[in-house]
Each structure stands twice: as structure tokens, then as C-alpha cells.
Amino acid sequence: MKIKLQIWRQKNEKAKGKFENYELDDVSPEMGFLEMLDALNHKLANEGKESIAFDHDCREGICGSCSLYINGQPHGPKAKTTTCELRMRSFKDGQTIVIEPWRAKAFPVIKDLIVDRSAFDRIIAAGGYVSIDSGSAPEANSIPVSKNISDKAFDVANCIGCGACVAACKNSSAMLFVSAKVYQLALLPQGKTEAKTRVQKMAAVMDAEGFGSCSNTYACEAECPKGISVKSIARMNAEFLTSKIVTEKVE
Ligand code: SF4
Ligand code: FES
């Protein structure tokens, strides 16, 4: 396959970026999308040109770092598929592929296609953890959890923190990500210790980081590569109300 590429190039956070055009021959349909970018970088290096900066780590849909906006869709055209899992057979011979970084105030571009997603880390640090006694690993069955609850918790624990939900949302809302993290811990007995204040702390950091509000367009759910449902947002809102009532009673 031959493909044409329009790729966002930006030297650093402050620089003004622009699209640059590239062409690549001999692209195999079985090639992964990131392997195609590796091949392009190899070509650029051979020509003495600066390679294109893009983020990646696991290349198997686990780490959430391969955040690319491809032809107007976060992670490209294939549903429930991360950029690193995407194969070039999803594109046609001769097609032009436009590649951009995530666009959101809370995710500033560091260089080319790489954005700073540390705002998500700060939301997690505010409440996305559980308190445990340190020491050796506890006996697996010492805290029973029903199959129904563990299945639900596992569904939301699938969130890989990629940020596609934010990139897809016209308001750059992080509600799908935050709700997945809140609901996962709210379901499990291990999450009860911090349950009273967790959602309030995480929501406060989410707002302070500059993410927008949710206006129920469901674009986040449509583009989430892990199929996280917007139902978790409703559950987070319920957690928030309960948390407010409990903490105001205590105060
Ligand atoms: S909710 Fe989905 S789109 Fe958002 S960060 Fe998690 S995995 Fe990515
Ligand atoms: S590189 Fe880890 S999810 Fe894509």
C-alpha cells in the first residue's frame, strides 16, 4: 500500500504547530499503525530529518499512552481498538491519513503528537487509591466479593487512562475517566475507607485542571477503546450526592 500522511508537527508547548505532508510506500496491511510511524521515522532518519515524536509503551492496548487523533477520531476508525492495536488494513491504498495529538486545554502538547496527560495522574493522586496495611500479600479470599460486584468493578477497571474520552468530548470533559476510577473503588470493600470524600476530592482536581463539564453527548463512550459505559457517570453523580450528604452531616 501507498499512503499519504498529514502529521501535526510542533517543537514544544509554546511553539505554533502545523501539519506537514509525508508519503510512505510499501506499507503492509498487516502492519500496526505505530509500526507504520516507526517506518516513517526510519525513513526520515535516513534522510537526515527530525523524526516524529509520538507516545507509546506496551503496544498491546494496556498502558493507554498511544494517544493519537486519526482522521478525526481518537484512536482511529476501528471501535474498541487502541492506536497500537490498529492495523493498516483499516485504511485504503492511496488514502490520506491525518494524525493529530489530543486537543484539550488540560492536555498541552509537549512535542509533535505527544501531550502531557499528567492531569490524570493528579486526579488519581487526589483519591484514586485505597488504604491498606503494608506487609505480605493478604489471603485472596479473606475479603469475599460477590461475582456480580467483581464483574462490574472489572468492567470499569478496564479504563487504561488514555484520554480518548476527553479528546472526543466537545467540552474536553474527563467525566468518563474519573467516573470509571470512582465507581471501580466504590463497588469494592477495599475502597470503603476513603469512600466518603474520594469523589469530592477527585472532582475538585478534575475541575482545577481545566477539564470541561459533561453535556451528555456520549461521544466519550463511542470513542472509548475499552467500552467504558456512560452509566458510570450516573453512578459517580450518585456517589457525589451521597458523599456530600454524609460529609455535611458529619460537619
Ligand atoms: S474511559 Fe475509556 S477513553 Fe477514557 S481514559 Fe478510560 S479507557 Fe480511555
Ligand atoms: S501503546 Fe500501550 S495502549 Fe497503546
Side-chain angles (χ1 to χ4, degrees), residues 7 21 23 29 39 45 48 58 60 63-64 81 89 96 99 115 118 129 146 148 154 163 165 171 179 190 208 239 246:
I7 301 181
N21 296 323
E23 287 195 13
C58 71
E60 53 185 359
C63 73
T81 304
R89 59 176 168 264
T96 299
I99 311 173
V115 299
S118 59
Y129 53 81
S146 72
N148 178 35
F154 195 76
C165 45
N171 308 322
S179 66
Q190 290 90 338
E239 276 289 309
V246 170

Side-chain angles (χ1 to χ4, degrees), residues 47-166:
E47 293 167 358
K49 294 179 183 158
E50 193 179 347
S51 53
I52 294 150
F54 62 95
D55 219 348
H56 60 99
D57 188 1
C58 71
R59 296 198 175 204
E60 53 185 359
I62 297 169
C63 73
S65 55
C66 55
S67 355
L68 296 181
Y69 217 83
I70 304 163
N71 282 351
Q73 277 185 280
H75 294 295
K78 199 152 187 277
K80 295 191 182 159
T81 304
T82 57
T83 299
C84 59
E85 297 169 307
L86 190 63
R87 302 287 135 190
M88 291 311 293
R89 59 176 168 264
S90 295
F91 303 91
K92 292 192 181 83
D93 187 25
Q95 188 174 349
T96 299
I97 304 172
V98 182
I99 311 173
E100 298 170 75
W102 283 173
R103 306 286 188 188
K105 186 177 152 210
F107 290 160
V109 174
I110 298 172
K111 186 172 168 60
D112 296 339
L113 302 171
I114 299 180
V115 299
D116 179 357
R117 287 180 298 122
S118 59
F120 270 10
D121 298 338
R122 290 186 285 277
I123 294 171
I124 293 295
Y129 53 81
V130 295
S131 294
I132 54 154
D133 292 328
S134 56
S136 57
E139 156 58 34
N141 294 321
S142 59
I143 306 175
V145 180
S146 72
K147 174 86 168 69
N148 178 35
I149 295 293
S150 65
D151 282 353
K152 279 187 181 163
F154 195 76
D155 283 348
V156 271
N158 269 328
C159 167
I160 55 174
C162 64
C165 45
V166 176

